[in-house]
């Protein structure tokens, strides 16, 4: 079975401002081949991530198990399609210092800010209805900076549902303003893997202290956690459960979703979407600030690669819907 996991982007509609219900995590496996990909959009040697051996640029995934909850009330329309953008946050201050970051909440570096802005330029012609981020500032900064580049000029607004009072105090009472806003939903379930007692330690010094093999096992094994931390398997349980419970219903309803999160939480989601084995996912590398696109149509996910930039018309011709949306934007600015 052939196909390509590369970097991807998203498409438009009006947004749901409230999340869906919870269900259980479902582990998936499958077979792929890991290769390196040269960037077709500027960075000739950049590693774009995981790639399936394929003769084509995209492939159709098998149908997702969609929520069967009686309260969802959503059934896919044959002619509708949604898009899902996944973006790993830009470089953080602790990335720069080569420290284990995990769930410690540190901001982006100037380079990370530029990566987020560049990601936004790549998706500036693609419609977005709702944004999901982790509860960590580096993912939220990435989402906000990326959306500031969008040609539609809608304003990302963080939803505060942590308490009844927070929800009430953050209400928007202008319908026109609401229409020009995009809800940003933060969720700890999308946080980076928690590295336990490694958080804040220098990676090289930790390798010198415990040995390279031990540190490599903590970092790259699927089911072995660092001391008092999470394994990738544990991270996947919470991230994929949230994705299935909260994000998939939005896509089923025809909404277009961007997720700004972290290397391990996004690897977990990609493992679920592409049915990777535990051995395949530990070799998956995601570059910072590179958007990844899936198209969701008729209950299936279709991998589409990475938008290469606002001046590249061809990237928006992946589907008729995306092409029409760009034409609409072009007419609005003339």
């Amino acid at each position: 079975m052939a196909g390509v996991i590369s970097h991807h982007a998203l498409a438009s509609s009006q947004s749901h401002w409230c999340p869906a219900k919870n269900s259980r995590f479902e582990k998936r496996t499958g077979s792929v081949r890991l290769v390196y990909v040269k960037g077709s959009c500027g960075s000739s040697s950049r590693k774009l991530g995981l790639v399936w051996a394929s003769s084509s640029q995209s492939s159709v995934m098998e149908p997702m198990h969609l929520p069967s909850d009686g309260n969802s009330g959503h059934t896919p329309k044959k002619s509708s399609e949604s898009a899902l953008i996944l973006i790993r946050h830009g470089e953080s201050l602790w990335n720069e210092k080569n420290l284990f970051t995990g769930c410690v909440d540190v901001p982006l570096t100037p380079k990370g800010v530029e990566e987020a802005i560049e990601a936004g330029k790549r998706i500036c012609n693609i419609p977005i209805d709702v944004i999901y981020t982790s509860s960590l500032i580096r993912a939220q900064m990435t989402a906000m900076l990326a959306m500031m580049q969008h040609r539609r000029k809608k304003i990302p607004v963080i939803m505060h549902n942590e308490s009844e009072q927070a929800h009430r105090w953050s209400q928007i009472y202008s319908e026109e303003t609401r229409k020009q806003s995009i809800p940003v939903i933060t969720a700890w379930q999308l946080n980076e893997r928690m590295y336990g007692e490694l958080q804040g330690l220098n990676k090289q010094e930790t390798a010198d202290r415990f040995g390279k093999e031990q540190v490599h096992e903590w970092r790259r094994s699927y089911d072995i956690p660092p001391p008092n931390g999470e394994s990738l398997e544990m991270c996947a349980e919470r991230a994929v459960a949230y994705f299935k419970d909260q994000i998939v219903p939005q896509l089923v309803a025809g909404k277009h979703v961007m997720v700004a999160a972290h290397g391990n939480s996004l690897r977990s989601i990609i493992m679920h979407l592409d049915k990777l084995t535990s051995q395949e996912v530990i070799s998956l590398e995601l570059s910072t600030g590179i958007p990844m696109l899936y198209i969701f149509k008729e209950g299936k996910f279709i991998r589409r690669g990475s938008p290469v930039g606002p001046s590249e018309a061809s990237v928006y011709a992946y589907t008729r819907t995306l092409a029409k949306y760009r034409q609409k934007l072009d007419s609005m600015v003339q």
Side-chain angles (χ1 to χ4, degrees):
M1 183 164 124
V4 185
I5 297 176
S6 98
H7 289 102
H8 324 342
L10 171 118
S12 125
S13 166
Q14 283 247 290
S15 54
H16 272 318
W17 288 73
C18 49
K21 286 194 171 183
N22 289 331
S23 67
R24 64 185 180 83
F25 166 68
E26 179 180 2
K27 190 185 297 182
R28 299 194 175 194
T29 59
S31 59
V32 296
R33 182 167 65 89
L34 299 172
V35 302
Y36 293 102
V37 184
K38 288 189 176 181
S40 61
C41 43
S43 56
S44 59
S45 62
R46 192 161 205 174
K47 186 190 301 180
L48 293 186
L50 179 72
V51 175
W52 297 62
S54 172
S55 59
S56 64
Q57 285 292 316
S58 65
S59 65
V60 180
M61 304 303 300
E62 293 182 15
M64 285 276 298
H65 288 285
L66 301 177
S68 57
D69 188 287
N71 295 323
S72 65
H74 299 308
T75 55
K77 297 178 180 179
K78 289 186 177 180
S79 60
S80 68
E81 68 176 42
S82 313
L84 170 67
I85 293 178
L86 307 177
I87 303 179
R88 183 186 175 191
H89 66 80
E91 181 188 67
S92 76
L93 286 168
W94 278 17
N95 291 148
E96 182 183 50
K97 293 180 178 296
N98 201 33
L99 304 180
F100 285 102
T101 309
C103 288
V104 179
D105 206 0
V106 296
L108 301 179
T109 61
K111 176 184 176 182
V113 169
E114 290 301 318
E115 288 177 331
I117 291 172
E118 179 59 29
K121 291 177 180 178
R122 290 171 181 258
I123 59 173
C124 70
N125 287 306
I126 300 175
I128 297 173
D129 297 317
V130 59
I131 299 169
Y132 287 85
T133 79
S134 74
S135 66
L136 302 175
I137 190 64
R138 56 191 185 272
Q140 295 175 21
M141 289 178 69
T142 298
M144 295 296 194
L145 289 166
M147 279 310 303
M148 288 173 63
Q149 314 309 311
H150 202 279
R151 293 176 66 195
R152 189 66 182 82
K153 301 302 181 185
K154 287 191 174 184
I155 307 300
V157 177
I158 292 179
M159 300 290 97
H160 287 284
N161 296 316
E162 58 268 27
S163 69
E164 183 179 343
Q165 178 173 299
H167 176 73
R168 187 172 65 251
W169 284 17
S170 61
Q171 289 298 299
I172 298 173
Y173 291 96
S174 165
E175 185 62 29
E176 183 60 31
T177 301
R178 189 194 301 268
K179 290 178 180 178
Q180 295 304 314
S181 303
I182 293 181
V184 180
I185 299 169
T186 63
W188 70 267
Q189 292 92 333
L190 297 175
N191 281 8
E192 179 58 285
R193 173 184 168 194
M194 201 275 281
Y195 272 101
E197 295 176 15
L198 300 186
Q199 291 183 169
L201 301 183
N202 180 278
K203 293 178 182 178
Q204 183 57 52
E205 292 174 0
T206 304
D208 294 341
R209 177 182 173 185
F210 294 101
K212 289 183 178 180
E213 289 187 7
Q214 177 63 77
V215 173
H216 181 78
E217 185 177 63
W218 286 335
R219 295 185 65 189
R220 287 305 183 188
S221 65
Y222 181 67
D223 56 1
I224 300 176
N228 293 317
E230 281 186 311
S231 64
L232 178 57
E233 182 179 35
M234 295 161 69
C235 177
E237 288 180 359
R238 58 172 165 84
V240 174
Y242 185 85
F243 177 81
K244 292 171 65 179
D245 299 340
Q246 305 290 342
I247 297 174
V248 169
Q250 300 275 19
L251 297 167
V252 172
K255 306 303 177 185
H256 308 287
V257 181
M258 180 172 83
V259 179
H262 307 265
N264 284 299
S265 54
L266 291 177
R267 286 163 71 204
S268 300
I269 291 171
I270 292 172
M271 178 184 183
H272 169 68
L273 293 178
D274 297 345
K275 298 189 293 185
L276 306 184
T277 67
S278 59
Q279 288 302 307
E280 289 158 349
V281 73
I282 62 177
S283 301
L284 172 60
E285 295 289 344
L286 302 178
S287 299
T288 54
I290 300 293
M292 300 172 281
L293 173 65
Y294 286 89
I295 298 294
F296 180 76
K297 187 173 183 178
E298 298 179 0
K300 301 176 182 179
F301 280 87
I302 305 169
R303 286 187 306 273
R304 281 301 191 182
S306 177
V308 297
S311 63
E312 299 289 340
S314 61
V315 77
Y316 304 105
Y318 286 138
T319 67
R320 185 173 299 177
T321 301
L322 294 186
K324 285 183 177 179
Y325 184 78
R326 179 172 182 169
Q327 290 174 355
K328 179 181 176 181
L329 289 179
D330 290 342
S331 67
M332 289 172 64
V333 298
Q334 286 177 357

